[in-house]
Amino acid sequence: MNAVQVGCKFVESCVRKARLINLVGLAGNTNVQGEDQKKLDVLSNEMFVNALVASGKFSFMVSEEVDDIVTVPEELRGKYCITFDPLDGSSNIDAGVNVGTIFGIWRLPSGADATVDEILVPGSEIIAGGYCMYGSSCNLILTFGNSRVEGFTLDPALGEFILTHPNIRIPSRGKIYSVNEGNTLYWDDATKAYFDSVKFPSAESGRKPYSARYIGSMVADVHRTLLYGGVFAYPSDRKSRSGKLRILYESFPMAFITEQAGGKATTGTQRVLDIVPKHIHDRCPIFLGGTDDIADVEAAFASNNNWLNDTQK
C-alpha cells in the first residue's frame, strides 16, 4: 500500500498542474482498448509500474494501458498480483473533471512461482480493492474486506492521507441514478424497464422520481453512489454486447468495495464477483448500489426475459 499511495500522490500532483506543464492532450498512441492515450495516461502508468515493481510484493501486474501482463523481474517478485487503471476518466482531464485510479489486489497461490493462469480467477478471490479520486480533494477509498471500507483525504501540507470517512456504508436505497442515457437507443428491454421505473415510479410504490447524475468518470460517479446511495450503471447494449467496463481493473475492485460497504454489484443476472474472466482485458456490464436498488435491477431483468435476445441483435 505504500507503493500504491506513492503512485496516487504522484498522479495527484501531475493532475493539479497538468495544464501548466503541458501534460494535457494526446500522447499519440492508442491502448489495447483502441482508445487514444493521453499524456497523463502514459506517465501515470509508468509511475505505478515502477513503484509497484520496486516494492518487491508483486509478481504480475495488469494495467489498462499495457496490452500484455506486466511480469516483474524474478529477483523482485512477491506473492501478489495487482490490477489497475492508472487514470480512469482521462478523456475528461482537459475539462478539469474528476479523474481517478482504480486497483485490485489478489494473493497468488504459488507466490513468487505463480503462473499467469492464476490471474484469471473469480472476483470473489480479491483481497484488497480501492480507488483514488483526484478532484476538489484527493480521496483514497480502500477496503481489505471484513465488511469495512475506509476513506482517506490527502493533506497536501503534510503529504499524508488522513482518515476522514471511517467505515463507509452505502444506503440501502438512494435517490440518484447514474448512467449514460445517450445509449438508451441501444438498451435491452430490461435496462429500459428499470430506468423507466426510477424516472416514472408507480403510485403504488410511494416513491419520488430519482435524480439523474452522470459525470462520465467511473471513480467520481461510484464515489458519489457510495456516499449517497442509488445506482451506478454501465449496462451491456446492442453497441457494446459485453458491456464497456473492464472486469479485472474496473468492475472487480468497484464491486468489491460496494459489497464491503453493504451494497451489491450485478450484471443484471449475475453477481459481478462471480465472473471468471477469460482474458485480462475482458469486459462486463455492471449495476452497483444499495441492496434495495440492486434488488429492483435484478427484478427488472427477471421479469423481462427477452433481455438476452435484445443484446444479441
Side-chain angles (χ1 to χ4, degrees), residues 30-31 39 52 55 61 70 83 86 94 110 153 216 228 239 249 258 260 265 269-270 289 292-293:
T30 57
N31 62 20
K39 295 176 184 177
L52 295 167
S55 73
M61 289 177 268
V70 178
T83 64
D94 295 358
S110 303
T153 302
Y228 301 158
K239 188 172 61 173
Y249 42 83
T258 302
Q260 295 304 311
T269 59
Q270 180 185 14
D292 291 348
D293 284 311

Side-chain angles (χ1 to χ4, degrees), residues 19 92-99 134-135:
R19 179 66 65 176
N92 294 317
I93 193 78
D94 295 358
V97 174
N98 286 16
V99 293
Y134 316 113

Side-chain angles (χ1 to χ4, degrees), residues 153 223 264 281:
T153 302
H223 186 69
K264 294 179 69 176
H281 295 295

Side-chain angles (χ1 to χ4, degrees), residues 18 21 60 79 85 89 101 103 107 121 127 133 135-137 164 176-177 192-193 201 214 217 224 246 263 296 306:
I21 59 177
F60 302 110
K79 59 182 178 181
D85 183 348
T101 297
F103 62 91
R107 182 180 289 110
V121 295
I127 63 168
M133 184 178 68
S136 57
S137 60
T164 52
I176 297 171
Y177 71 93
K192 290 178 181 177
Y214 185 67
S217 172
R224 183 195 55 249
R246 279 58 62 115
D296 291 344
N306 58 343

Side-chain angles (χ1 to χ4, degrees), residues 161-231:
F161 283 103
I162 310 298
L163 180 64
T164 52
H165 297 74
N167 196 22
I168 296 172
R169 309 304 295 171
I170 185 170
S172 60
R173 183 171 296 283
K175 301 177 181 178
I176 297 171
Y177 71 93
S178 181
V179 67
N180 183 359
E181 293 193 89
N183 291 326
T184 304
L185 175 65
Y186 309 106
W187 285 351
D188 54 63
D189 287 348
T191 303
K192 290 178 181 177
Y194 171 71
F195 286 109
D196 282 348
S197 73
V198 297
K199 290 188 289 185
F200 310 105
S202 64
E204 295 78 17
S205 71
R207 296 201 296 265
K208 295 180 179 180
Y210 281 27
S211 297
R213 298 286 186 272
Y214 185 67
I215 298 169
S217 172
M218 186 187 189
V219 167
D221 282 315
V222 170
H223 186 69
R224 183 195 55 249
T225 303
L226 198 64
L227 296 181
Y228 301 158
V231 171

